[in-house]
Every structure is written in C-alpha cells, then in structure tokens.
Amino acid sequence: MKKAEEKKVKITHILTTHHHNDHAGGNAELSQQLRIPVLGGDSRIQALSLMVKDKQEITIADMKIKVLESPCHTTGHVLYYVVSSDKKVVFTGDTLFVAGCGRFFEGTADQMHTALNCTLSSLPPSTLVYCGHEYTKKNLEFAATIEPDNPAIKAKLAWASDCRSKNLPTIPSSLEEEKTYNPFMRVNEVSVKRDGESAVDTM
C-alpha cells in the first residue's frame, strides 16, 4: 500500500493465482481495509469474493485481463494474462518461474506440460513474465546441470548472479527468453530429454 501511495496508484482489485498462504495470506486484511474484491479460481483462497474461470475476460481501467487455468501446483491455480496500451504481461504465480516451474503438489507432469508448453507458449513471445518468487539463480544453476553448454543459460546465470549480489530483482523475464533457458519449456529439445522420452516424461 505504501508503494502504491508513493506511485499515486489506486488499488481496485486483488488478483490471486492460488490459495497458498504466501500468496493469499493478506487478502482478508487488504480487501477489508480498501473495500475491494478478491478474484481467484479456487474456493480455498482467503477472502475470495469472485470466482473466475478459464478464458474469462475482465476489464480493469485500460487493461484487458484473461484468466487462464493452470492446475498442477494446486488444482485451482490460474494465470492472469494482462494486455494494456503499452505492454503484455502474465502473472504466473507458482506455475512458471524464471528458468523453472512450481512443484506438482496437486497435479501431474502432464498438467504442468500443458500449462507451460501449450497455454503459456501460445501467448506472444514478448509477453513479460511476473512470477511469484525470486528463485532465478537457483533455477539457472539447475538448468546448467541439464544443458551445460547452453549459452543462454550461462549468460542469464551470470546476469542473475550479479543482480542478486546487488540485491536487485531478476523478474520479469519474457516468454521468448524462457524458451531459451528454462528446461521445463525445452522438454522437446534433444539436449534436454533422454532418448525415447516423451515431453511429459521429461517434465
């Protein structure tokens, strides 16, 4: 709220990707204080006031928001694809991270593959990715064990390491970038999958 006040931005909605407390734990207090609705795709979300569904479109100010279901990390996880006059962004919660993906707590590898390599991959490559956690450096270190000769991984890891040493964020990335260094969006590459494996097996 302090940051919004500094930037003179009015908060009008709370868009929640999933019910885990580190993403929804402040919903009740914030929604009561500001008297604004909480949107989400799972009845377990704290203070939920509007249930959204796959492909639903919402307009807030000059932004067109499309809800995209992405069950796996949780069964009710959703993404928010936002198009404004000057940019396209997607809020991915714990589905897609920079160079990684979320744990399969309530779903399957097939569901995560669909979310990353069908749903998200169908969006414009320039779409900026805003994920729920700063795991970039660790994710890239893992990616480097899968593709040690991938120059995109090497460059991104050097950049991310420098950012984190200065306490700077590594988010956002773009979908175009993710396809060059994120092993979970590269499951069809021969450098990632084992002989005879399907993309889902590789996940």
Side-chain angles (χ1 to χ4, degrees):
M1 287 178 61
K2 182 178 179 181
K3 185 62 68 175
E5 291 172 1
E6 290 174 0
K7 292 183 174 293
K8 297 181 179 179
V9 173
K10 183 180 180 181
I11 301 172
T12 61
H13 297 71
I14 300 172
L15 306 181
T16 308
T17 56
H18 62 294
H19 75 281
H20 287 165
N21 196 57
D22 57 334
H23 292 259
N27 283 0
E29 181 179 357
L30 189 61
S31 63
Q32 290 171 8
Q33 188 169 349
L34 298 179
R35 297 186 179 182
I36 57 176
V38 174
L39 284 65
D42 193 321
S43 61
R44 295 173 291 180
I45 290 173
Q46 184 184 113
L48 182 71
S49 53
L50 179 61
M51 179 77 80
V52 296
K53 58 185 180 180
D54 189 40
K55 305 295 194 300
Q56 183 175 342
E57 296 185 351
I58 304 160
T59 300
I60 299 176
D62 69 337
M63 297 177 292
K64 303 294 183 182
I65 303 169
K66 189 172 187 177
V67 179
L68 301 170
E69 68 177 6
S70 59
C72 182
H73 183 69
T74 67
T75 55
H77 198 296
V78 299
L79 316 169
Y80 296 99
Y81 174 56
V82 183
V83 178
S84 65
S85 58
D86 61 342
K87 67 179 63 176
K88 299 177 178 68
V89 307
V90 62
F91 293 94
T92 60
D94 283 0
T95 292
L96 173 65
F97 298 128
V98 179
C101 71
R103 295 183 180 184
F104 306 177
F105 285 134
E106 298 180 358
T108 65
D110 184 60
Q111 287 178 315
M112 186 61 79
H113 174 60
T114 297
L116 299 185
N117 299 306
C118 298
T119 303
L120 282 166
S121 288
S122 71
L123 300 178
S126 61
T127 302
L128 297 179
V129 176
Y130 286 87
C131 56
H133 296 279
E134 178 61 78
Y135 295 157
T136 303
K137 184 173 179 289
K138 185 176 181 181
N139 287 343
L140 287 162
E141 289 170 346
F142 171 74
T145 69
I146 304 298
E147 292 186 282
D149 298 321
N150 184 326
I153 293 174
K154 292 179 180 180
K156 189 72 172 183
L157 178 55
W159 173 83
S161 297
D162 182 63
C163 286
R164 297 311 296 150
S165 71
K166 299 172 182 175
N167 200 32
L168 296 174
T170 63
I171 301 163
S173 63
S174 71
L175 289 175
E176 183 175 31
E177 289 179 4
E178 291 297 326
K179 292 175 184 180
T180 68
Y181 52 65
N182 190 324
F184 302 98
M185 296 191 79
R186 294 174 57 77
V187 289
N188 287 308
E189 300 293 330
V190 294
S191 54
V192 174
K193 69 178 182 178
R194 297 186 181 94
D195 290 342
E197 273 190 343
S198 69
V200 174
D201 290 336
T202 304
M203 292 292 291

